[in-house]
Amino acid sequence: MLKLVLKEKLAVPLELSVLRADILSNCSSACKISELPAYYGNSNAEIGDFFDVTGDVDSNIVIEGDLSKAKRIGEGMEYGNITIYGNVGMHLGEKMKGGKIIVNGNVSDWMGSNMSGGIIVVNGNVGNFACSSYWGEKEGVNGGVIFIDGSVGDDLGRRMRRGTIFVTENSGDFTGGEVIAGTIFILGSVGKSLGAGMKRGSIILSKLPELLPSFYYSGKFKPLFLSVYFEYFEREFSFKVPKKLKKAVFERYMGDFLAVGKGEILVCLT
Amino acid sequence: MAALSKVDDTFAEAFKMYGARIIITAINEKWATKAANCVTGFATSVIGCGCEAGIEGIAEDTPDGRSGISVLLFTMSKKALSEQLLNRIGQCILTCPTAACYNGLDSDEVLEIGKKLRYFGDGFQMSKVIGGKRFWRIPIMEGEFLMEESYGIKEAVGGGNILILGNSVESVLEASERAVSSTKNVKDVILPFPGGIVKSGSKVGSKYKFLHASTNTSLVPHLQAHASSVLPSNTVSVQELVFDSLSLEAIKEAMKKAILSALEIEGVIKITAGNYGGNLGKFNIYLKDVLEVDEHA
């Protein structure tokens, strides 16, 4: 296991797109890792300028410190594991293809945007535009699993095409906006304009929010696929899914009929 | 052990087949079992049923956390396996109250049965990828039928067998039942015939040109005057156990357990095996070798 400990609090943003488990595991030594480039504000720097690097080089990385100004950790990562103790800045796991990132702290905006595989687990809150597409892009998240044991800000999962997002608490406005497909769970409350423009895909809620008028009630049923999801979450993330969700009948609302209208919002009835 | 002298020095001739394992879940074990019984119904022999299938046992840790039954299916070709899975899942599991169907065999080679059956949803079907596996949600009157898209298949062994010869119908049946019971905990193996036992073993061909298989005259106790019988003269009844398995090792283990259990019954005269001189099947499973197999279950 390789360990990186932040030496001192960052004054300006630090770009750390080389902090990927797959890149670090291919370095010959901790010394070489210290020489990898980073960008501190408007100047060039090296990883060793900011971190004490210790341990054996492999694909399991532990990072410690207040990284709320550190951007792009795990960007484009293809395999390996990163565990972070502390808050993390923007673009965590952006365009990630594989591997796993676990954050024990809060994460800033654009987390997991445009990712296509892998797993991000956050034991804390997440900012805006999590798992969202960039402005102007047709598709956002195209695979992978994001598990957030906390709340998220606005624009969660915009234009998501594949993948799963699970939020144990609340999400902000425009959750699941223009979703093409994929699955979003919100166990707490959601903000305004839920699923606006969604074409297909599923949003699963524990209580009925104010829905857009372009979503129509479509009946009640017991969706078995949720049981498979819940078993997966409990197995993979050791998350105890509330019993009421496991046994519930769900109301189904179809929409957004201003788009394709094949999306579904499932609301737990208890 | 004196009883081992009753084991004939011969071999069972087994064939290469293709196998799949499906996990059937339902609201409770009763309904999972009903679906499993339906899937494995009329699946004793590929000769007339299209496939050989049986219940392997209770499935633990099912994908949806409900009660589950593990079922094995075997055919002579991948194409036949695809057809049988499609038909049997479609007719027996899709229709069975609360039942769902999942893959139970990890393999690089898969049959995408769910991709075909999804069309039952008439355009309202939806898929979900959970834990790297794709599932199809098919809307039905009950609510929703859930099935996995891909089912792993692998080369398997079919037609392993033992023949139990005895001096009464009762003793041979008791020995056969005990032999079948002894294999319950052997993973990867099923015995596809009724209760795991077949009373009408066949030989290849017939005096009738239109028939591919007919009664195994050399093993019929009361045809000793007419046919080239291989039976000891005091034989009154013969039963056969047929084994299909995902592996040769498992089939040997099951055969060993079955032989040893059958030998415990008084009245068993001999235990032998069916073969075609080694000319047809890929696997020759010698009973003497089987008895030396280490048991795992």
Side-chain angles (χ1 to χ4, degrees):
Chain A
M1 186 185 75
L2 192 68
K3 190 171 182 179
L4 288 83
V5 179
L6 189 68
K7 291 177 180 174
E8 56 187 53
K9 193 171 181 183
L10 300 170
V12 295
L14 175 66
E15 295 215 1
L16 294 170
S17 55
V18 294
L19 279 196
R20 292 168 36 170
D22 48 353
I23 289 179
L24 300 193
S25 65
N26 284 318
C27 292
S28 55
S29 66
C31 189
K32 287 284 180 191
I33 289 170
S34 298
E35 294 170 4
L36 289 172
Y39 302 97
Y40 189 55
N42 61 0
S43 57
N44 293 330
E46 292 180 351
I47 294 294
D49 297 337
F50 304 96
F51 293 95
D52 288 322
V53 183
T54 57
D56 299 325
V57 175
D58 65 14
S59 59
N60 294 306
I61 317 296
V62 173
I63 308 173
E64 291 181 4
D66 180 6
L67 300 160
S68 50
K69 283 193 167 65
K71 298 179 180 178
R72 301 189 183 281
I73 293 174
E75 182 184 53
M77 189 166 89
E78 295 183 4
Y79 63 86
N81 301 301
I82 297 177
T83 305
I84 300 170
Y85 295 93
N87 298 333
V88 186
M90 291 197 288
H91 304 286
L92 175 82
E94 182 176 297
K95 295 177 183 171
M96 186 173 160
K97 297 186 180 83
K100 189 173 184 178
I101 298 175
I102 301 172
V103 180
N104 297 294
N106 299 326
V107 182
S108 188
D109 300 344
W110 296 107
M111 183 194 82
S113 58
N114 291 54
M115 69 186 281
S116 57
I119 296 172
I120 299 177
V121 179
V122 180
N123 297 308
N125 299 323
V126 176
N128 301 318
F129 306 109
C131 317
S132 179
S133 67
Y134 279 136
W135 301 117
E137 289 190 352
K138 289 181 180 175
E139 294 178 9
V141 166
N142 205 6
V145 180
I146 298 95
F147 185 90
I148 299 166
D149 195 359
S151 294
V152 290
D154 298 336
D155 282 279
L156 172 71
R158 178 175 286 276
R159 292 191 178 174
M160 171 185 190
R161 185 175 185 84
R162 293 186 185 88
T164 303
I165 301 170
F166 192 97
V167 180
T168 64
E169 295 181 16
N170 310 320
S171 75
D173 296 343
F174 294 103
T175 295
E178 298 179 296
V179 156
I180 301 164
T183 311
I184 300 174
F185 291 81
I186 309 291
L187 300 195
S189 62
V190 291
K192 293 176 180 173
S193 300
L194 174 74
M198 75 186 287
K199 295 177 177 173
R200 293 180 179 80
S202 308
I203 299 174
I204 294 96
L205 306 173
S206 63
K207 54 189 172 186
L208 182 64
E210 184 183 339
L211 293 178
L212 290 169
S214 47
F215 279 82
Y216 300 155
Y217 175 72
S218 189
K220 297 171 189 167
F221 74 129
K222 201 167 181 180
L224 185 58
F225 83 99
L226 292 181
S227 299
V228 179
Y229 259 122
F230 294 152
E231 288 291 315
Y232 170 73
F233 291 138
E234 291 194 343
R235 193 173 58 247
E236 185 72 27
F237 305 112
S238 303
F239 176 74
K240 198 75 183 164
V241 176
K243 273 187 182 174
K244 71 163 193 172
L245 278 179
K246 284 184 167 179
K247 296 185 174 178
V249 170
F250 284 74
E251 276 186 341
R252 190 185 205 212
Y253 296 86
M254 300 295 293
D256 183 339
F257 279 93
L258 294 180
V260 176
K262 286 194 172 179
E264 64 176 359
I265 294 175
L266 303 178
V267 183
C268 174
L269 274 182
T270 49
Chain B
M1 196 173 163
L4 289 179
S5 62
K6 295 179 180 175
V7 180
D8 205 1
D9 186 12
T10 187
F11 61 91
E13 193 166 341
F15 299 84
K16 183 179 97 172
M17 296 183 90
Y18 291 92
R21 176 189 285 119
I22 61 173
I23 305 297
I24 302 168
T25 69
I27 194 166
N28 53 36
E29 195 176 318
K30 179 181 83 174
W31 281 104
T33 305
K34 283 181 190 293
N37 284 334
C38 187
V39 165
T40 58
F42 189 57
T44 55
S45 167
V46 287
I47 294 172
C49 308
C51 83
E52 297 178 10
I55 292 175
E56 187 185 23
I58 301 288
E60 307 289 346
D61 300 325
T62 60
D64 58 24
R66 303 188 301 170
S67 299
I69 301 289
S70 173
V71 166
L72 297 179
L73 298 99
F74 299 89
T75 61
M76 300 304 284
S77 70
K78 296 174 194 174
K79 183 171 178 286
L81 193 50
S82 178
E83 290 168 357
Q84 290 295 322
L85 282 170
L86 182 64
N87 288 340
R88 287 171 189 268
I89 294 172
Q91 299 302 315
C92 304
I93 307 178
L94 170 63
T95 58
C96 180
T98 75
C101 184
Y102 308 106
N103 174 40
L105 180 63
D106 288 332
S107 172
D108 293 335
E109 199 169 3
V110 297
L111 297 172
E112 294 179 325
I113 307 301
K115 217 172 191 173
K116 297 174 182 171
L117 209 52
R118 66 177 162 151
Y119 293 115
F120 186 74
D122 201 24
F124 294 99
Q125 68 273 15
M126 296 175 83
S127 78
K128 291 290 168 198
V129 177
I130 307 170
K133 296 174 179 173
R134 185 174 294 280
F135 298 82
W136 282 101
R137 301 168 54 197
I138 301 172
I140 51 171
M141 295 191 302
E142 182 192 65
E144 192 169 81
F145 173 62
L146 187 69
M147 70 176 295
E148 205 165 330
E149 177 172 275
S150 300
Y151 294 81
I153 62 167
K154 65 175 290 193
E155 280 191 11
V157 185
N161 66 83
I162 62 168
L163 294 156
I164 301 171
L165 286 52
N167 60 12
S168 72
V169 170
E170 291 78 9
S171 63
V172 173
L173 184 57
E174 186 185 355
S176 301
E177 286 179 6
R178 186 174 289 211
V180 171
S181 293
S182 73
T183 67
K184 290 291 181 198
N185 293 327
V186 183
K187 202 170 154 52
D188 297 343
V189 175
I190 55 143
L191 288 81
F193 283 94
I197 307 165
V198 52
K199 75 173 191 289
S200 56
S202 60
K203 67 177 184 295
V204 177
S206 163
K207 68 178 282 188
Y208 305 108
K209 288 182 180 173
F210 57 84
L211 209 54
H212 300 298
S214 60
T215 189
N216 198 335
T217 44
S218 63
L219 290 167
V220 178
H222 60 282
L223 287 183
Q224 294 185 38
H226 301 281
S228 54
S229 179
V230 296
L231 300 176
S233 57
N234 56 340
T235 304
V236 173
S237 180
V238 178
Q239 300 282 9
E240 181 178 5
L241 272 58
V242 175
F243 305 81
D244 294 334
S245 173
L246 295 173
S247 75
L248 188 59
E249 293 71 29
I251 220 168
K252 286 180 176 175
E253 187 179 340
M255 286 172 67
K256 177 181 180 180
K257 283 177 179 285
I259 292 169
L260 294 178
S261 298
L263 287 173
E264 292 172 3
I265 302 302
E266 202 174 329
V268 171
I269 297 168
K270 188 177 178 181
I271 293 189
T272 183
N275 63 62
Y276 310 95
N279 298 319
L280 290 180
K282 182 179 177 183
F283 307 99
N284 296 335
I285 307 170
Y286 284 86
L287 301 187
K288 299 286 185 191
D289 293 343
V290 159
L291 292 172
E292 291 170 8
V293 167
D294 289 333
E295 293 180 37
H296 302 293

